[in-house]
Amino acid sequence: MQRLTYLLGPSLRARPVLRRLAQPASAGFFRAPISTHTVPTLKDPTLLKPFPFLDNEFLVPTASQSTFTVADPVSGQTIAQVPDQGVEDVRRAISSASTAFKSFRHTTARERANLLRRWNDLVLENKEDLATIITWENGKPIADARGEVSYAASFLEWFAEEAPRVYGDTIPAGVRANRIITQRQPIGVCGLITPWNFPAAMITRKVGPALAAGCTVVIKAPGETPLTSLALAELAKRAGIPPGVLNIVTTLENTPEVGREMCSNSTVKKISFTGSTPVGKLLMRQSADTLKKLSFELGGNAPFIVFDDADLDIAVAGAVISKFRSSGQTCVCANRIFVQEGVYDEFAERLSDKVKEFRVGSGYNTNTTHGPLIHPRAVKKVHDHVEDAREAGAEVLLGGKKMEHLGMNFYEPTILTGMKTEMRLYREETFGPVAALFPFKTEKEVVELANDTDVGLAAYFFSKDYSRIWRVAEALEVGMVGINTGLISDPAAPFGGVKQSGFGREGSKYGIDEYTVVKMMTFGGIGDLQE
């Protein structure tokens, strides 16, 4: 069987490639046969842009002559060679954004809202192509990719509506003749550093409020998945967003120096970063000399609690979506699943029955429910966590092995029982398809276990007792709590954490505040009415 596809090789030009597809592997209880490792032809091939984006132009000359490889995580085959930009390139992008800010900041809120609305419409019109690109470079199933595109567009729509609602205040003055008012103004050029796990939504969740506030941006695209962000840039250009307002730097090997320049460059007034806690700390140190405004969405170690009075059908469904969405590669994925002793065995059995229904394989297969991990390092970390737990006495109820017959980045959806607090998975975020079940006895005990971590992004718990719901929700040391649900993401919801999961909020009415500064103006000498 053969299929004509497009492969972007070192020449950075699309060329047709014929190759024989892999034959299905022997069937396992959650293995989906791979029918293709290739990407279908895009309806609009001009969306595939393996070049940085500066002043509304692609194919810009770069100071660095090196490139990096964007690889299909299913097959490991090269999708594109993309310029690996460096410090001089990011300085050019910052300069472009600074020039554009001088005029863009004076556009009306309604003008900016209309730009975001047109961008939203174009994203939805090109939903299938964007989803195809996401699945190709990220590996997530096409249905999940389509969902991400809709989610990404929702932030453009949300902040199109928020742009005209950046209000100030009038404040009673302590002096009779004075009047105090406040005004929110755009902070300036913003540096945005986004991750690979949601290559569309993490862009729009940051760019949407920045542009709504009147800021301009320089985006450091994720090296693993830059093509999605560049496709979004093409649609932003078509929507009429002016040159220099949105710029994208592409880099992989030069990421440390590019990040350092964004943080230390005094023209950049704000850094927004989604990624690991150690990198967030580094960026914070690098931003100190220029006292930038920062918002960080960092690592998590989310507890997922099932009380013995929970509706187990709802709890299992919540665990499936919270733990296994994107093969466990989200920052709010459940990491430690605490189940009260009275329902522990039944919950484990029900969860196992659901996970056995999974089909793992290429994201373009219509029967695939779960795709690969992003790269071999991710597989190694997942396997190391499973082996550590197994050696310390955990039972592998399901899975627990690499799926090398599918490719180097596949790992079996796994359920571990008999987990203990001394195991690595209790302390470290796995970021993979491993559900680790810890037993507990009391409400007080499980809240202490849930809070026994340096991070605090998200938590989930399931109970029918409304008194317990209030007690536990208020006691959990996290920024977001899901109660009887495993899905908490919504453009209307403030997304962010506490402790070493960072600070600041994205989405919601609070998200735009991260890109503004408050100016106070006092009017004096008003006095009394004239006779």
Side-chain angles (χ1 to χ4, degrees), residues 27 62 70 177 188 347 357 523:
T62 62
V70 180
F347 179 85
E357 298 173 1
F523 295 80

Side-chain angles (χ1 to χ4, degrees), residues 197-388:
N197 56 343
F198 287 90
M202 296 302 96
I203 294 281
T204 58
R205 196 163 74 182
K206 297 179 188 297
V207 175
L211 269 56
C215 298
T216 58
V217 300
V218 176
I219 303 166
K220 203 293 288 181
E224 297 87 351
T225 58
L227 302 177
T228 301
S229 56
L230 295 166
L232 288 172
E234 170 64 21
L235 295 176
K237 178 180 178 180
R238 296 179 191 178
I241 291 175
V245 170
L246 187 154
N247 307 275
I248 297 182
V249 175
T250 60
T251 184
L252 183 63
E253 296 300 325
N254 295 330
T255 292
E257 58 197 68
V258 166
R260 186 184 308 113
E261 178 62 27
M262 292 176 75
C263 291
S264 61
N265 192 303
S266 60
T267 302
V268 177
K269 305 303 181 184
K270 153 86 180 181
I271 293 288
S272 177
F273 169 69
T274 297
S276 72
T277 297
V279 173
K281 292 178 179 180
L282 174 63
L283 298 177
M284 192 171 184
R285 287 193 293 270
Q286 293 174 346
S287 299
D289 285 345
T290 50
L291 286 176
K292 293 189 185 345
K293 188 172 186 176
L294 304 172
S295 55
F296 288 163
E297 191 262 285
L298 306 177
N301 188 3
F304 183 103
I305 304 168
V306 181
F307 289 101
D308 55 12
D309 66 337
D311 183 317
L312 288 190
D313 288 335
I314 294 175
V316 168
V320 167
I321 190 65
S322 174
K323 174 64 259 181
F324 291 103
R325 183 164 61 111
S326 296
S327 296
Q329 298 176 113
T330 84
C331 54
V332 292
C333 272
N335 198 57
R336 298 165 297 153
I337 300 178
F338 299 104
V339 185
Q340 202 157 16
E341 288 182 343
V343 294
Y344 186 91
D345 292 339
E346 183 179 357
F347 179 85
E349 182 179 354
R350 290 196 191 191
L351 182 61
S352 177
D353 288 342
K354 286 294 184 183
V355 174
K356 286 177 182 177
E357 298 173 1
F358 291 176
R359 294 293 178 264
V360 181
S362 167
Y364 294 114
N365 288 345
T366 56
N367 63 340
T368 292
T369 60
H370 293 77
L373 301 185
I374 189 65
H375 45 52
R377 297 192 307 278
V379 176
K380 183 180 185 303
K381 181 179 183 182
V382 170
H383 191 62
D384 287 350
H385 276 194
V386 171
E387 289 304 299
D388 172 77

Side-chain angles (χ1 to χ4, degrees), residues 482-503:
I483 303 165
N484 292 326
T485 180
L487 187 62
I488 58 175
S489 296
D490 189 298
F495 193 101
V498 298
K499 300 197 285 191
Q500 293 192 34
S501 286
F503 43 80

Side-chain angles (χ1 to χ4, degrees), residues 50 55 157 277 303 328 361 512:
D55 282 331
E157 179 184 46
T277 297
I512 203 167

Side-chain angles (χ1 to χ4, degrees), residues 158-232:
W158 177 268
F159 286 107
E161 296 166 348
E162 286 296 299
R165 296 178 176 83
V166 183
Y167 299 125
D169 296 300
T170 60
I171 302 172
V175 176
R176 183 175 177 180
N178 289 356
R179 302 293 184 272
I180 300 170
I181 67 169
T182 64
Q183 183 183 58
R184 284 196 171 272
Q185 295 184 325
I187 193 168
V189 177
C190 301
L192 312 179
I193 304 175
T194 62
W196 51 262
N197 56 343
F198 287 90
M202 296 302 96
I203 294 281
T204 58
R205 196 163 74 182
K206 297 179 188 297
V207 175
L211 269 56
C215 298
T216 58
V217 300
V218 176
I219 303 166
K220 203 293 288 181
E224 297 87 351
T225 58
L227 302 177
T228 301
S229 56
L230 295 166
L232 288 172

Side-chain angles (χ1 to χ4, degrees), residues 310-311 314-315 318 460-466 469 482-486:
D311 183 317
I314 294 175
Y460 309 85
F461 71 93
F462 292 75
S463 173
K464 295 177 183 176
D465 183 332
Y466 275 85
I469 285 173
I483 303 165
N484 292 326
T485 180

